[in-house]
Amino acid sequence: MTASTFLTAILQDSRFDIIRNAKSFKELPELVASTLWRLFALMGGGLSLVFVDPAFSRFAEAATGFLTTWSFSALAALVWVVTKIYALPPHKS
């Protein structure tokens, strides 16, 4: 929900013309989608721990640790990008 609100704000506000006109603008929705998919994978991995046989618990914990690091790295990148975008000065016409 927050991601779609952010993207809608970028598409409508004249302050963000510089971003919409940038060649890398198409990468922003891809970054949001990637972050959401990684968080979804983390959620699925976390939920699957309930069903893991105790003999494989070390492997499952390592996989969950990887998913956690992978997800939070994408989330950190998304937060960093959003913070930098909102820090842009107002557009002067």
Side-chain angles (χ1 to χ4, degrees):
M1 182 67 164
T2 304
S4 62
T5 304
F6 172 72
L7 289 174
T8 302
I10 285 179
L11 293 174
Q12 294 178 349
D13 194 341
S14 64
R15 176 177 157 191
F16 300 115
D17 283 344
I18 191 170
I19 295 170
R20 281 195 305 275
N21 297 331
K23 292 179 183 176
S24 61
F25 176 68
K26 66 179 181 175
E27 294 174 9
L28 183 60
E30 292 172 5
L31 178 61
V32 171
S34 171
T35 303
L36 292 175
W37 278 111
R38 289 178 187 200
L39 290 173
F40 179 72
L42 175 62
M43 182 183 68
L47 290 174
S48 68
L49 285 177
V50 174
F51 304 107
V52 171
D53 187 279
F56 299 110
S57 64
R58 288 276 194 207
F59 175 74
E61 289 172 0
T64 304
F66 169 76
L67 285 173
T68 302
T69 305
W70 188 53
S71 298
F72 282 112
S73 67
L75 187 60
L78 181 63
V79 168
W80 183 80
V81 167
V82 170
T83 305
K84 293 297 180 184
I85 288 172
Y86 275 133
L88 287 174
H91 180 67
K92 296 178 183 178
S93 308

